[in-house]
Amino acid sequence: SERAILEHMSPSKRARLMEEAQERENAAAQAAVLMEPTAGSPWWIQITAALPDALPLSNAVTVVRAGSWMCLVSKADDKQGGYQLHVWHDHSSSHTFRAQKFQTPILKLTNPKFTDSPEPPLVAMHLTQGQETTTQSSMEAGGAGAMMQQQHHSVGSHNGKEAVFLYVALPTGSVYLWKLSLSDLHLPIPPSHKSFMLLELEDGYNDADMNQDESLPAVGDERLSCLTVQRRTLFLATNWGRVFWLHQNQGNLKVQQVLRNSTLAMAAKDSSSGGGWSISRLLFGKGSDSFEGRNAPPETAEGGVDAARFIEVIPSSDGDSFIAVSAAGRLVSYQVSGNDEKTFAPLSALSLTEAIQQMLVQQKVNSHVTDLHVLKASNGTFPPTLLKAAGTRCVHLVVLLTFVPAQSNEPHNVEQRLYWLRVACSSAKNQQVDDFEICSMTWLSRFASPETVRVMGLYVAENGVGYTALIRGDREVAEDSPVSSIPILMAHDAFKPHAFEVDLDSVGETSVLGLFGDDRTHGCTFCTSSGTLILSECKEATDNSLRGEHDDIQQHGQHREDPLKVTSLLSHLRATFWESYRHPEKLIVLPPSLECADKSDLEAAIWKMGEELQMQNSNNANFGGITSSSNLVLVYHLAYIEFLQSAGIYRSMMPLTKWHLMALGQEIAAFQAIVASPRSNENMEIYRSQLNSFGVANWLQSVQRAVESQEADMKHVFCCWLEQALSAAHIFRQERGTLLYDIASSADPPKVDKAKLIPLWMSKPTIQSVLFTQLQNWHKDSDKSLRMMSNEVESIVVASLRSFADSYLAFRCGTTQDYYYKMQCLTIKLLRDTFGTDRDDLAWSLCKAHHYFSGLCQIAHDHRHSQGRGPRAANHFSLTTLFPKLAQTKDLKTEMPFGQFCIKWHLDRTFIGEALQYGNLCPDDLLVIVNAEPALRPYRWIVSLQRKNHEAATRNLLEVVDRADTGLSLQQSKFNLSMAKLSNKVAASKSVSNPEQIVERGKRIENMREIAQVQELLLCDEDAQNTYLWTVESLLEYALQKVDREDGIDAKARTCFLALCLCCSLESGGVDARKQAACSVWYKALVADWDFLTDLLYGKQQSLTDEGLANAVLQKSVFGKLMEECSSNPKSSWGEVSFDNIVERFVIDKISSPNDRSSMQRLLRAVLTKV
C-alpha cells in the first residue's frame, strides 16, 4: 500500500509526500463539492467517486452495495434481452474523490435464465469473514428499488481477505448464490455458483391440506417480489403474499410449512435439491385476522397494483423476528423461534388504511381513505431519546393515499397525496406481544400529481434521519425502465414530522440507481446513471438528531465523563489507531469497549488522544529536525481524523468535539507556519527553538512579553510570526473544515458555558490576550513603522475581530460582549489612525461583517462631506445600500437595530436632515426614535404621513405648534399649521368613523392659523421671524398696549381690528370670555379718541344732527374706523365680538357719568344706524 511504501522513506520526506498528497486530494474534493450548507439550504452534496467506464450505465436498472462491493443490474445489450450483473470492488473512500475514473476489474455474471427473464432479478449482497457485516438488497422487481442497510460491527479478528456472498433471485423462482473474493474479479471465467428452483420445490411438495385448497392458481402465476438478506438468512416474498425463510448452513435442505388451523409442522428432507439451505414457507392472507390461514391470492386492485404483493420484509438485527409489508399497506410481525426446526408465530398486524382512517376521524377530518399504495418501505431506527421500551423498532414508508370526501357520491371527486409514515413496533419478548403505532405522518406536499412520482430509494441512517430520492414520473413509463430527470432528495427529521428537500440541479438529469448508507457520515450515498457516486447529507437534520439525543451536553458545552473509564478508553483507542496506522490494508475492527462506551467518556478519550498525538515527537531531532517533525505531527493528526471516520465513530460525535479536534489542527498549522518562516536574528532564533506543537499560544505570549522592551526589528519579527500563525490557522479551517471535519466554513461555533471551552484555537483566552496587548501597543506607538508593515497590521486586525466574534458567539456573556465591542473600536480606530482613508475599504468591510454600526456611520459621514474624493467614494461608502442587509441586525453595545442606531447617531451630532433621510428607509425605526428623542418631536408628523396615518399627522402637527418648548419659529408654526390643514382635509375624505372630531379639529386649525397671521401683523418683520407662536391671551394684551403706541387713527383702528380677531380665536372660557375680551377692545377704541368724542358731544359741534354726528365719528375717530373695518370684513364669528347692547352697556358704564349716559348712547346708536 501507499503508506507501507512510505514507511521505508526518511521521516522528513515521508511527511512531505503525505502532506502533498493530502493537499491534492483536498483540492480534488473541493472541486467535487456540488452544494455546501447555507442558511437557506442545509444540504451537503459531494461527488465521492466515479464509476468504472466499462459499466453499461445506459442500460442500468439498479445498484446494490455491501461495504466496498458493488453490483450493477442492467439490461443485456444483445437482441435476446434479459439482464446481466456486473460486480466490482470500489477502492475509493467516501470522502475522497478520484479526479479520473479509476481502472478496476469488473466481473460480469450471466446465466441463460437471466437472458430469458422478462423482469429484472432481485439482488442482495452480504459481507462475511470477520468484516463489518453489511447486507444490502434490491427490494423491488421494478427497477431502481429502495435499499436497505443493516450494520453490525464485528468484534472478532479477521484475516484481511474480503469476501462477499451474492444472492440473485429471478421473479420466476430461481435462486442463485455466488461467493466472491477479490481474486475472483480477475478470473476470465466467473466462479461456480449454487442454484435451486424455490417455487418449483414448493409446488412439488404434496400435502393433503394444500390439495384441498382449490382456489390456489397455477404455480406459474406466482412471482417473487422481494428479497432481503440478514447475515446468511434470506427472506423471499411473492405476489401471493407468501414469505420464504432460507438459511444458509451445512446441512441438507429442510422444508417447513405452517398451515391454516393446524398446529402440526410437517417436514421433509431432500439432499439433492441444492443442499446447504433450510427453507420455510409462511402463508399470509390479505384479510386474515388469525394470521395463520392461507387464502387465495387476492384480486388485482385498480391500477394494476397487487394488494397482497410484499414489497419489503424487514428482519430484526438478531433474526428473532421480522415485519412483512404488503403493497396494500398491511404490516404483520412474526416471531421466529426454534433451532433445527423453525417456527413462525404471528404477533400482531396493522392496516395502514384503517389506522389512518381512525386518525382522520379523531382529527374531525370529513374524508375517508379509499385506497393506499405503499411505494417504498425501509427498516429504520429511532434516536435513543425516543425509545419508549427496549426493542422498539421503526419502519419508514412512503405511501400514496387516495381520499374521498365523506359526503361525495361522485367517483371522480378524489384527492391523492404522498405521505411519509414512521411506524413504531414495540416488542416485549417476554409477553410475546407486538404493537404497531403510527408515530408521524408527513405530507410530501411538493407534488401536484403525486400519482406520477416514482420513489427511487429509501434509506434510514443510524441517527433516525430518513432519506428518499424521488423523480416525477410518467404514467406510461414502465416500472423497470430508467427515468432521466432532475432527482429530488428528501430527508425526514428524526424527531419532528418534517421533511427537508433539495432539487439536485447540480447533478443534472439522471437516474438514481441505488440509495444506501455512508460509512463516515449520517448521510446517504447514491449512484447515478451519469457515472458518479454522490454523498448527500442534510446537516440540519443531523444536528437536530444530535441535539435531541444529547441536549444537556450540547447546551452546557461540557463533558461529564468518568476519569477511570476515559483512561481505559484512551488506551484502547490508542492501540486501535496505531494498529490501523501501521497496517492500513487491514479493515478497522473496534474493541467492544469503544462500541459500547458512554458518549461523553468516549469523546473525552477522543479529544485526549488528539492532544496526545499533537505532542507526539513535536520537537524531536530524531525525526529530521523541527521542520520534518512539524509535518509529521500534521500527518498523525490527519491520519487520526481519517481513522475516526473510517471506523464509523466520527459521524456520531457531538459538534463540540469536532470543533475541538479542528482547533488541534489549527494549532498544528500555526506551529508549522512559524517553523517554516525565514530565519531572523540570533536572539529570535533562540525563542523559536523553544517552540513546540502543543503550546503555541503560551509561546507567543512569552515571546511578546520578552520583546516589549527590545528593539523594533525584534518586535517586527514577532509580529510576522503572529500574523503567520493566525493566517495559517484561519486557512486551515477554511480549506479543511468542511471536507475533513464536517464543519462548514461559515458555521458558528457551538455554545459552551466556559471561556476555556471555546472550541477554536484562535479564540483561546491566551491568544486573545496576545492580540489585545499587541493592538494596544500599536496604539501607543507614534512612529511610522506601522505603515511599513501594513500587511501584518491588516492581517492581525482581521484575525482579532474574527477571534473575539467567535468567542462571543460560543459564549455569550457580558465579558465576551464587552471585549468584542472594545476590539471593534480598537481595530477600526487603529486602521483609520494609521493609514488614514487609504484603508477605509477594509475598515468598511470589517464594520459590515462585525456589525460595528458606529464605524459605518462615521466612515459614511466622513466620505459624504469630504472634499476632493468625488461621488464614487461617497456612493461606495453609503449607508443607504446597507439598510436591506442589516435591517435585522443589532448593535453590540446598544442592542439597537441598524436603522434606529443610524438615526440616533446622526441625531446625537445634530445631523437632523440626514437622520430624517435615513428614517425614510426604515419608517418603523424612525417612529421609535421620534417617540423617544425630544429633538425629533417636531418631525413626528413626517413619520405619520409616511405610514399614511393623516389623522395622527394632524395631531402631531398641532402638538408641535401648541408646545412652546419645541422652539419652532413663527414661520415654522405657520408651515406646520398649513400642513395640518391639508392633512386634516385628507383625513376628512377618508375617515367615516369620527367626522365630528375632524370638523372641530379643522376649526381649531383655522383659529391657530389666524392667530399666527395676527401675530405676524402685530410684530415687525424681524421680531416675527425670530419669535415663536404666542398664546391668544399674550397677543391680545400686546395688541391693546400697542394701540397706545400707534400714531394715527388708521393704525390704531387696524390694531384694534386685529385685537378683535384674536377675541374670535379665544377657546378657553367660551362665548362669555370672547365677549368680555371684545368689550375691552371696543372700550380701547373709544378712549383712543376721547377728546374728539367729547368735543362732538359737548363742544362747538354738539348741535349736529344724528347723521352728521355719525359721519364725523366714522371719518375722524378710531371707533368709527374700527366699525367700518368690521362691517367691510364679514366673519361668521363677528356676532360674538361685535358692538351690541352688551358692549354698549359695558362701555357706557365704564366711560360715562350718569348725567352723560344719554349723550353717549345717542352717539353710539347714531354710528350703528349709519353702518
Side-chain angles (χ1 to χ4, degrees):
S1 65
E2 179 180 329
R3 191 170 294 171
I5 297 175
L6 291 175
E7 291 290 341
H8 299 285
M9 298 182 180
S10 63
S12 59
K13 186 176 182 180
R14 178 173 67 250
R16 185 176 67 255
L17 289 179
M18 293 187 68
E19 184 177 5
E20 292 175 354
Q22 184 65 41
E23 291 177 354
R24 288 193 300 271
E25 291 290 350
N26 289 338
Q30 186 66 40
V33 174
L34 303 179
M35 183 181 296
E36 293 189 37
T38 62
S41 177
W43 290 87
W44 170 267
I45 301 176
Q46 175 189 2
I47 300 176
T48 59
L51 302 181
D53 281 328
L55 294 176
L57 296 176
S58 59
N59 298 324
V61 175
T62 187
V63 173
V64 178
R65 180 175 183 173
S68 299
W69 289 86
M70 303 186 74
C71 177
L72 172 71
V73 180
S74 65
K75 292 184 177 181
D77 296 331
D78 52 30
K79 298 181 180 180
Q80 296 181 359
Y83 295 86
Q84 57 188 0
L85 279 63
H86 296 77
V87 182
W88 74 97
H89 190 268
D90 180 13
H91 298 279
S92 64
S93 167
S94 62
H95 276 284
T96 303
F97 173 70
R98 306 299 180 183
Q100 70 281 1
K101 292 190 175 183
F102 51 86
Q103 299 296 326
T104 184
I106 300 175
L107 179 64
K108 181 178 180 181
L109 300 178
T110 59
N111 187 279
K113 290 190 176 182
F114 292 1
T115 306
D116 297 336
S117 177
E119 304 172 60
L122 306 172
V123 180
M125 302 176 75
H126 163 62
L127 292 177
T128 61
Q129 295 188 355
Q131 307 173 59
E132 179 185 29
T133 303
T134 305
T135 61
Q136 292 191 350
S137 61
S138 62
M139 296 299 176
E140 188 178 16
M147 295 294 160
M148 179 191 72
Q149 180 178 10
Q150 301 171 335
Q151 295 186 348
H152 171 75
H153 294 280
S154 173
V155 297
S157 61
H158 62 86
N159 54 16
K161 296 181 180 180
E162 291 194 350
V164 66
F165 284 101
L166 175 65
Y167 307 94
V168 181
L170 295 180
T172 54
S174 299
V175 181
Y176 301 85
L177 166 65
W178 280 271
K179 181 180 179 181
L180 304 175
S181 62
L182 291 176
S183 59
D184 293 331
L185 299 178
H186 299 273
L187 297 177
I189 301 176
S192 59
H193 65 276
K194 295 182 178 181
S195 66
F196 61 88
M197 189 65 184
L198 180 64
L199 295 184
E200 287 182 357
L201 176 66
E202 283 295 313
D203 180 63
Y205 189 82
N206 296 321
D207 181 79
D209 289 335
M210 292 179 59
N211 293 334
Q212 293 175 0
D213 193 351
E214 298 178 355
S215 62
L216 185 64
V219 175
D221 295 336
E222 189 174 15
R223 290 288 186 273
L224 293 178
S225 60
C226 171
L227 168 63
T228 305
V229 59
Q230 170 64 22
R231 300 182 183 176
R232 295 193 181 187
T233 301
L234 272 70
F235 294 86
L236 292 104
T238 74
N239 58 342
W240 286 7
R242 297 201 292 170
V243 178
F244 296 92
W245 181 87
L246 294 80
H247 182 70
Q248 183 181 350
N249 55 31
Q250 301 301 323
N252 297 323
L253 178 64
K254 180 183 293 185
V255 181
Q256 298 176 232
Q257 59 180 334
V258 180
L259 301 178
R260 178 176 52 190
N261 300 326
S262 175
T263 58
L264 298 177
M266 302 186 63
K269 294 184 178 181
D270 186 354
S271 60
S272 62
S273 299
W277 293 90
S278 66
I279 303 177
S280 295
R281 180 183 66 190
L282 302 178
L283 307 175
F284 168 63
K286 173 184 177 185
S288 173
D289 293 329
S290 64
F291 316 120
E292 294 184 1
R294 174 176 183 177
N295 297 337
E299 297 179 359
T300 301
E302 182 181 356
V305 178
D306 192 354
R309 177 173 61 88
F310 281 108
I311 68 166
E312 181 65 80
V313 176
I314 303 175
S316 61
S317 58
D318 55 10
D320 292 341
S321 63
F322 66 88
I323 299 173
V325 183
S326 74
R330 190 169 180 82
L331 282 68
V332 182
S333 174
Y334 280 91
Q335 182 76 29
V336 182
S337 59
N339 294 322
D340 295 336
E341 191 172 290
K342 295 292 183 181
T343 59
F344 305 90
L347 299 178
S348 64
L350 173 70
S351 172
L352 293 178
T353 303
E354 297 175 359
I356 294 174
Q357 186 62 58
Q358 292 178 1
M359 294 173 62
L360 296 178
V361 172
Q362 294 174 357
Q363 298 172 5
K364 298 182 180 180
V365 178
N366 194 21
S367 299
H368 65 269
V369 180
T370 60
D371 187 34
L372 183 147
H373 180 207
V374 179
L375 302 179
K376 284 292 183 293
S378 176
N379 189 25
T381 58
F382 281 125
T385 53
L386 288 184
L387 293 184
K388 301 177 181 179
T392 302
R393 301 179 60 191
C394 177
V395 179
H396 285 237
L397 307 101
V398 179
V399 302
L400 176 65
L401 288 183
T402 302
F403 295 91
V404 175
Q407 298 178 353
S408 175
N409 296 322
E410 300 180 8
H412 62 277
N413 188 16
V414 298
E415 179 183 2
Q416 291 184 314
R417 291 184 179 183
L418 276 183
Y419 281 93
W420 191 324
L421 304 181
R422 291 189 303 167
V423 179
C425 178
S426 302
S427 176
K429 295 184 178 180
N430 294 334
Q431 301 177 2
Q432 296 293 308
V433 176
D434 212 302
D435 298 321
F436 287 103
E437 177 186 359
I438 297 180
C439 297
S440 66
M441 182 174 174
T442 307
W443 178 26
L444 306 182
S445 57
R446 165 70 179 273
F447 308 101
S449 301
E451 69 278 3
T452 66
V453 175
R454 294 182 59 182
V455 184
M456 311 305 291
L458 181 62
Y459 164 74
V460 184
E462 290 182 347
N463 62 347
V465 178
Y467 290 88
T468 185
L470 306 100
I471 290 181
R472 294 185 183 90
D474 191 334
R475 297 174 186 269
E476 299 178 357
V477 177
E479 286 192 5
D480 60 346
S481 62
V483 178
S484 293
S485 181
I486 299 296
I488 301 171
L489 195 62
M490 292 188 177
H492 197 289
D493 194 272
F495 293 91
K496 299 177 292 185
H498 175 72
F500 304 89
E501 63 180 70
V502 61
D503 288 4
L504 300 178
D505 298 325
S506 53
V507 177
E509 292 191 1
T510 185
S511 175
V512 177
L513 301 179
L515 195 67
F516 27 81
D518 181 62
D519 294 336
R520 302 188 179 191
T521 70
H522 282 300
C524 68
T525 56
F526 57 90
C527 294
T528 67
S529 58
S530 57
T532 55
L533 186 65
I534 295 179
L535 165 67
S536 59
E537 182 180 11
C538 181
K539 294 296 184 181
E540 184 173 346
T542 299
D543 294 344
N544 289 345
S545 67
L546 292 174
R547 280 194 292 268
E549 182 177 352
H550 307 281
D551 188 61
D552 55 341
I553 298 178
Q554 288 289 329
Q555 290 181 358
H556 301 293
Q558 62 184 359
H559 301 278
R560 298 185 294 273
E561 64 271 3
D562 185 335
L564 295 178
K565 292 182 179 179
V566 171
T567 302
S568 177
L569 292 173
L570 177 61
S571 175
H572 300 171
L573 186 65
R574 182 189 303 113
T576 307
F577 165 71
W578 286 115
E579 176 70 17
S580 171
Y581 183 81
R582 296 187 181 97
H583 304 283
E585 73 282 356
K586 292 184 179 181
L587 195 67
I588 299 174
V589 180
L590 294 178
S593 58
L594 298 179
E595 291 187 334
C596 304
D598 181 79
K599 191 173 185 64
S600 59
D601 296 337
L602 177 60
E603 298 203 7
I606 291 172
W607 187 2
K608 291 181 182 297
M609 181 64 188
E611 292 180 330
E612 181 180 297
L613 289 175
Q614 190 173 346
M615 302 177 188
Q616 186 81 17
N617 303 314
S618 63
N619 195 4
N620 194 324
N622 294 332
F623 283 77
I626 190 172
T627 302
S628 61
S629 174
S630 66
N631 294 334
L632 195 57
V633 171
L634 181 60
V635 170
Y636 288 156
H637 178 79
L638 298 178
Y640 179 55
I641 303 300
E642 178 82 10
F643 160 76
L644 294 174
Q645 293 173 343
S646 300
I649 299 176
Y650 194 85
R651 63 181 179 181
S652 298
M653 286 166 43
M654 292 184 302
L656 182 60
T657 307
K658 297 179 181 179
W659 282 77
H660 279 306
L661 290 176
M662 186 177 69
L664 298 179
Q666 283 185 299
E667 186 170 18
I668 296 173
F671 170 67
Q672 284 185 315
I674 298 175
V675 168
S677 62
R679 291 183 60 84
S680 57
N681 60 58
E682 293 182 0
N683 292 329
M684 296 304 290
E685 288 304 316
I686 294 175
Y687 292 133
R688 180 154 59 171
S689 65
Q690 301 169 0
L691 175 66
N692 56 62
S693 62
F694 54 88
V696 178
N698 293 331
W699 178 84
L700 285 171
Q701 189 175 54
S702 64
V703 175
Q704 183 185 49
R705 292 170 179 172
V707 301
E708 279 184 354
S709 58
Q710 301 298 324
E711 298 178 355
D713 59 339
M714 296 181 67
K715 295 180 180 179
H716 182 263
V717 172
F718 169 75
C719 291
C720 292
W721 285 350
L722 179 60
E723 184 273 332
Q724 291 166 0
L726 296 173
S727 298
H730 176 64
I731 293 173
F732 185 89
R733 175 184 174 182
Q734 294 296 312
E735 293 183 350
R736 301 180 187 266
T738 304
L739 297 173
L740 185 63
Y741 299 96
D742 194 27
I743 298 174
S745 58
S746 59
D748 293 337
K751 302 295 186 294
V752 297
D753 65 348
K754 294 180 182 178
K756 65 179 182 180
L757 293 177
I758 295 175
L760 275 173
W761 180 77
M762 291 176 60
S763 297
K764 296 295 182 182
T766 304
I767 286 293
Q768 291 188 340
S769 176
V770 172
L771 294 173
F772 206 85
T773 301
Q774 188 60 47
L775 291 173
Q776 287 181 324
N777 292 340
W778 279 343
H779 267 288
K780 297 175 184 177
D781 259 344
S782 58
D783 57 36
K784 299 181 179 179
S785 61
L786 291 182
R787 298 184 67 89
M788 304 299 295
M789 48 186 295
S790 59
N791 292 335
E792 289 80 4
V793 173
E794 291 179 9
S795 181
I796 292 176
V797 161
V798 173
S800 300
L801 284 171
R802 187 183 301 117
S803 169
F804 283 82
D806 287 336
S807 63
Y808 173 66
L809 292 173
F811 181 41
R812 292 185 180 241
C813 66
T815 302
T816 56
Q817 180 177 350
D818 291 342
Y819 273 108
Y820 185 23
Y821 181 75
K822 290 179 182 178
M823 185 56 63
Q824 289 177 342
C825 301
L826 197 63
T827 52
I828 301 305
K829 188 175 187 301
L830 176 64
L831 284 177
R832 304 201 79 202
D833 290 349
T834 304
F835 305 106
T837 58
D838 295 340
R839 296 295 189 276
D840 273 357
D841 283 332
L842 175 61
W844 180 260
S845 62
L846 290 176
C847 290
K848 287 193 298 182
H850 296 275
H851 303 161
Y852 181 43
F853 298 158
S854 181
L856 290 173
C857 293
Q858 188 64 59
I859 295 173
H861 179 77
D862 292 345
H863 285 274
R864 185 172 184 174
H865 298 278
S866 62
Q867 301 293 330
R869 291 188 59 84
R872 189 208 68 82
N875 293 334
H876 178 68
F877 301 104
S878 173
L879 294 176
T880 304
T881 59
L882 301 181
F883 277 85
K885 303 175 183 177
L886 302 179
Q888 304 300 323
T889 58
K890 292 185 178 181
D891 178 65
L892 192 63
K893 183 178 181 181
T894 64
E895 296 186 355
M896 297 176 65
F898 176 71
Q900 294 182 23
F901 184 93
C902 184
I903 298 171
K904 181 72 166 54
W905 189 91
H906 288 84
L907 281 180
D908 292 343
R909 291 154 182 81
T910 66
F911 304 140
I912 297 179
E914 295 180 21
L916 293 176
Q917 178 185 357
Y918 293 126
N920 293 333
L921 303 175
C922 51
D924 294 338
D925 292 331
L926 179 60
L927 180 62
V928 174
I929 297 298
V930 164
N931 292 331
E933 293 294 327
L936 276 185
R937 186 175 292 116
Y939 309 101
R940 292 174 59 187
W941 63 274
I942 298 178
V943 181
S944 299
L945 285 180
Q946 289 176 342
R947 303 169 70 88
K948 301 187 182 302
N949 190 346
H950 294 88
E951 290 193 42
T954 306
R955 291 194 301 269
N956 295 336
L957 287 164
L958 292 179
E959 289 173 3
V960 173
V961 176
D962 285 339
R963 294 176 65 95
D965 58 350
T966 56
L968 288 184
S969 67
L970 179 61
Q971 293 299 322
Q972 290 173 327
S973 297
K974 289 177 63 179
F975 172 79
N976 280 17
L977 290 171
S978 299
M979 294 300 297
K981 180 179 179 179
L982 293 174
S983 179
N984 194 62
K985 286 185 176 181
V986 177
S989 65
K990 294 182 177 181
S991 176
V992 294
S993 58
N994 50 358
E996 296 82 5
Q997 293 182 7
I998 295 177
V999 172
E1000 291 298 323
R1001 192 184 299 122
K1003 292 180 180 180
R1004 183 166 178 263
I1005 293 172
E1006 289 300 327
N1007 286 339
M1008 297 181 72
R1009 294 182 69 233
E1010 189 167 317
I1011 295 170
Q1013 186 177 5
V1014 170
Q1015 179 177 336
E1016 190 172 26
L1017 293 173
L1018 288 174
L1019 303 179
C1020 62
D1021 292 341
E1022 183 176 355
D1023 291 340
Q1025 294 295 331
N1026 297 329
T1027 189
Y1028 54 87
L1029 184 64
W1030 291 8
T1031 63
V1032 179
E1033 292 78 7
S1034 299
L1035 277 175
L1036 184 58
E1037 182 181 357
Y1038 176 82
L1040 294 177
Q1041 294 173 359
K1042 187 177 180 181
V1043 172
D1044 297 332
R1045 297 194 303 267
E1046 292 286 2
D1047 295 329
I1049 296 174
D1050 292 336
K1052 289 178 181 293
R1054 184 64 178 170
T1055 303
C1056 288
F1057 176 78
L1058 295 177
L1060 281 179
C1061 293
L1062 292 174
C1063 293
C1064 294
S1065 301
L1066 273 174
E1067 295 180 355
S1068 60
V1071 177
D1072 294 340
R1074 289 191 285 272
K1075 181 64 71 174
Q1076 186 69 26
C1079 290
S1080 300
V1081 175
W1082 286 109
Y1083 170 76
K1084 192 69 174 180
L1086 284 172
V1087 299
D1089 291 321
W1090 184 246
D1091 293 339
F1092 173 71
L1093 295 177
T1094 303
D1095 183 61
L1096 288 177
L1097 294 175
Y1098 306 110
K1100 297 179 181 180
Q1101 302 183 28
Q1102 59 180 329
S1103 60
L1104 293 174
T1105 63
D1106 289 349
E1107 183 177 357
L1109 186 62
N1111 289 333
V1113 171
L1114 291 174
Q1115 293 176 5
K1116 298 180 180 181
S1117 70
V1118 175
F1119 177 76
K1121 294 292 184 182
L1122 179 58
M1123 291 291 290
E1124 287 185 337
E1125 185 75 21
C1126 290
S1127 62
S1128 63
N1129 289 275
K1131 186 177 178 66
S1132 61
S1133 59
W1134 279 136
E1136 297 177 356
V1137 298
S1138 61
F1139 196 91
D1140 55 11
N1141 294 333
I1142 298 176
V1143 178
E1144 179 182 337
R1145 286 195 301 271
F1146 175 83
V1147 172
I1148 292 175
D1149 292 343
K1150 193 167 184 179
I1151 67 175
S1152 304
S1153 62
N1155 297 328
D1156 297 329
R1157 291 181 66 85
S1158 59
S1159 300
M1160 182 59 66
Q1161 190 174 26
R1162 171 176 171 261
L1163 182 147
L1164 295 176
R1165 291 184 177 180
V1167 174
L1168 288 174
T1169 303
K1170 181 66 176 178
V1171 299

